[in-house]
Structure formats: C-alpha cells, structure tokens
Amino acid sequence: MPHSRRRVTIREVARVAGLSPAAVSYALRGMHTSAETQERVRKVAAELGYQAHPIARALAGGRTGTVGLLCGSLADFWQQELAVRIGRALLAEGRYAIILDAADDPRREPELAERLRDQRVDGLIVQPVDPSSPAWAELAGELPLVSIGDALAGNPHGEVVFDNRAGVTLALEHLHGLGHRRIGVLTSTLEHTPDRPADVHVRAEARRLGMSVEVAVTRSALEEATVAARELLVRRDRPSAFFCFSDSIAYGVYVAAGQLGLTVPDDLSVCGYDAHALSVLPTPPLTTVDWDLPGVAAEAVALMVAAIEGRSPGRIVRSPVLCPRRSTSRIPE
C-alpha cells in the first residue's frame, strides 16, 4: 500500500533557513521580521512543501477556525437540512461546524452552549429552544452569537428572525378562507416561554378571525407529534384543521389521522410552517409556509463571519410565502 506523505514541520523549515522556529512562524505570518527574511522563509517553505497545520495556524492567530451550531432539535427535518447547509456554507469560508443537539430541552441548551464555548469555537449559531433565557446575554459577552428564528435578549451580534406575525396570519387566513373555525395548533414551544411571538400571535389572530384554537405542546419527533395530534382528534369536538409550527410535527398529524381512519384533507386539513423539502412527499402534499431555508443558512453564516471579523452586527427579517397544496381543502357544508 502507498504511504501517506509525511508532513514537513516548521522545525525543518527553520533548520534549512538558518532561523529559529519562532522566527519562521513570524515570517510566514508577515510579522516582526524583515521583508527579505519573509521572502527567504517562504521560498524555503515552498521548496520543502511545508503547509501550516490549520489548527495550529488558527490557534496562533487566537482562533480555532470552528463555529458551534446548537440546534433546537435535530429530530426536526427542517433543522437537519439547515444544519447541513450551514456546515457547507462555513466550509466554503474555510471554517468548520461543531454541531450539537439540544433535543428540545431548555435545561440542556445552556449547558451545551457552554461546552461549545469551552471548546474555543470562534462563534456560536443557535436555533434557540428558549430564547428568553438570561444565559444568552452572558454568552454573547464572551463570543460572537447569531440566532436563527427568534431574537435573543442582550445579544448584540446578529440574528436572522422570522416575521412570525405574517406567517401565522397567512396560515390562519388560508384555513379561515376554506371555512375552518375549529383549529388544532401544535407547537414545540414550552409552557415557560409564553412570550414567543409566533405562539402569542396565533391566539390573537384566531380571535380576530373568529376561530377557536386548541394549542398543544409536542416535541418535533414523529412519535410524540403523533400522540399529541391523536389526543385532539379523539375528542368529540375535534378540530377540522391543524396548524403545526413545523412540517415535522405536521407529519405526526398525518400518522394520527391514518390511525383513526381519517383522510387528509377530506376529514381533516393540515398546514405546516417551514416548507421542508420532504413536505411534497406525503399523500397529499403538505400545505406549508416557506421561509427560504437556503437563504436563512447563507445569511446566518454571513452574519457569523462578520461578527468573528469584528464587523457591524446585523438583523435580518425573513418574510413568509404560503405554499398551498392538497392537504388543505374547503370544509364540507
């Protein structure tokens, strides 16, 4: 078998150049040495095939070249795809993602964030489970922090947030226009974060439209979403439609409906909220709200790179687009 080529060390470059390793390191970075010395060292390094180890080079500059990505729940398909796109976008910038999963647990979330900080990541991108936690302000004082979905109190670095008022209005007005007045709402937001804008607005919009809503909390995993949907569907006054704050949760409604012998959309309309790529695959395809996932990933990475490099923070607000498909239909007269 062929052997991998041995990496040339900085000590070997120093020996051939007749300098100390420290002087070679400075010369390669263009620091504290003359232009003539820098040119000579670069020539020797090129002749020997020397390449600086990326981690050592990053540490020497006070950075590791890594960015933490703390996901609210990787059971959610939208967050899975977002993590993939963010990882690839960071790689295109010469940076690497360290991805952790909070699993919809607000107690686990700050602990994982601190672990990423302790691993000396250059910055942290977070899809918060609990955006109201005071831990974010403290963390933002220690490293660049960019949030996705919700703003974080005390974070001066950057955020890509959703116009949830517009998104909720699009979904509920769509269902209202089809004649639905009793709506089941499934959300992953926990009871101790009642100020989350999307969940607050869904109740306000329901009142404005004269709709009755029953809100239930569920994690993003298919099994738990199925149980939450089934609990509402077995009631005598079951909803005629569901609005789910993620497509992954909406898939659980499909499963629960099938278990109970109900058909989507004849017996039950279903609307999701994030236009994941898989939302076209169920039968029938899922009506949902599109936030432009590729754009969200690109903007979050751009804000993070800017924050790491000390440039001005930014706030980007994403606008929604409704994608009506066959999972919603007019309620029978």
Side-chain angles (χ1 to χ4, degrees):
M1 291 180 61
H3 295 283
S4 59
R5 184 178 179 181
R6 184 179 66 84
R7 179 183 291 274
V8 177
T9 68
I10 199 168
R11 291 186 177 278
E12 291 173 88
V13 177
R15 178 177 55 79
V16 174
L19 298 168
S20 68
V24 168
S25 178
Y26 283 132
L28 289 172
R29 286 181 284 155
M31 301 169 54
H32 309 312
T33 52
S34 67
E36 180 182 352
T37 298
Q38 293 170 21
E39 178 63 27
R40 178 160 60 92
V41 168
R42 291 191 184 104
K43 182 177 180 181
V44 170
E47 290 174 349
L48 295 177
Y50 171 78
Q51 292 182 324
H53 192 283
I55 295 178
R57 182 174 59 217
L59 288 171
R63 296 175 183 169
T64 61
T66 60
V67 172
L69 173 58
L70 180 52
C71 301
S73 173
L74 285 176
D76 184 281
F77 294 123
W78 191 88
Q79 293 192 39
Q80 288 178 22
E81 185 176 346
L82 186 65
V84 169
R85 289 183 178 274
I86 286 175
R88 290 175 179 173
L90 286 169
L91 191 59
E93 294 284 345
R95 305 170 194 273
Y96 300 87
I98 300 177
I99 303 173
L100 294 182
D101 178 15
D104 279 327
D105 188 342
R107 295 166 299 181
R108 186 182 185 189
E109 189 172 52
E111 175 188 342
L112 293 178
E114 290 173 3
R115 288 189 181 184
L116 288 167
R117 176 203 61 196
D118 294 344
Q119 291 185 47
R120 299 184 62 184
V121 294
D122 297 334
L124 176 62
I125 300 173
V126 59
Q127 304 162 59
V129 176
D130 182 5
S132 65
S133 170
W136 299 122
E138 180 179 348
L139 194 66
E142 299 176 348
L143 80 168
L145 178 62
V146 171
S147 65
I148 296 175
D150 290 289
L152 306 178
N155 175 32
H157 300 295
E159 56 197 25
V160 182
V161 297
F162 303 149
D163 184 353
N164 281 306
R165 293 180 64 89
V168 168
T169 297
L170 280 176
L172 291 188
E173 285 187 345
H174 172 69
L175 294 174
H176 183 273
L178 294 173
H180 297 280
R181 298 295 182 267
R182 186 178 296 277
I183 311 296
V185 177
L186 297 182
T187 174
S188 61
T189 296
L190 304 178
E191 292 180 359
H192 73 279
T193 57
D195 60 337
R196 200 153 193 165
D199 299 344
V200 172
H201 190 58
V202 76
R203 297 181 187 275
E205 277 298 273
R207 286 194 297 270
R208 180 181 71 84
L209 294 168
M211 304 169 82
S212 170
V213 296
E214 180 76 20
V215 179
V217 176
T218 176
R219 294 180 186 267
S220 302
L222 181 64
E223 296 83 359
E224 295 182 52
T226 301
V227 170
R230 187 183 177 100
E231 288 178 354
L232 294 182
L233 287 173
V234 296
R235 296 182 181 182
R236 180 174 297 179
D237 59 346
R238 66 175 176 84
S240 65
F242 272 83
F243 172 41
C244 305
F245 273 103
S246 81
D247 290 2
S248 291
I249 292 175
Y251 303 151
V253 180
Y254 276 70
V255 175
Q259 291 173 349
L260 296 170
L262 300 173
T263 302
V264 177
D266 295 338
D267 301 312
L268 180 70
S269 287
V270 185
C271 181
Y273 201 57
D274 50 40
H276 184 270
L278 293 179
S279 64
V280 298
L281 296 182
T283 303
L286 177 66
T287 294
T288 186
V289 177
D290 187 0
W291 298 98
D292 182 17
L293 188 152
V296 171
E299 289 165 349
V301 169
L303 288 177
M304 175 51 63
V305 171
I308 291 172
E309 295 177 351
R311 289 184 269 126
S312 299
R315 183 175 195 268
I316 297 171
V317 180
R318 301 295 311 183
S319 296
V321 175
L322 182 70
C323 301
R325 299 182 181 131
R326 297 199 309 277
S327 69
T328 51
S329 67
R330 183 167 296 280
I331 192 169
E333 296 294 338

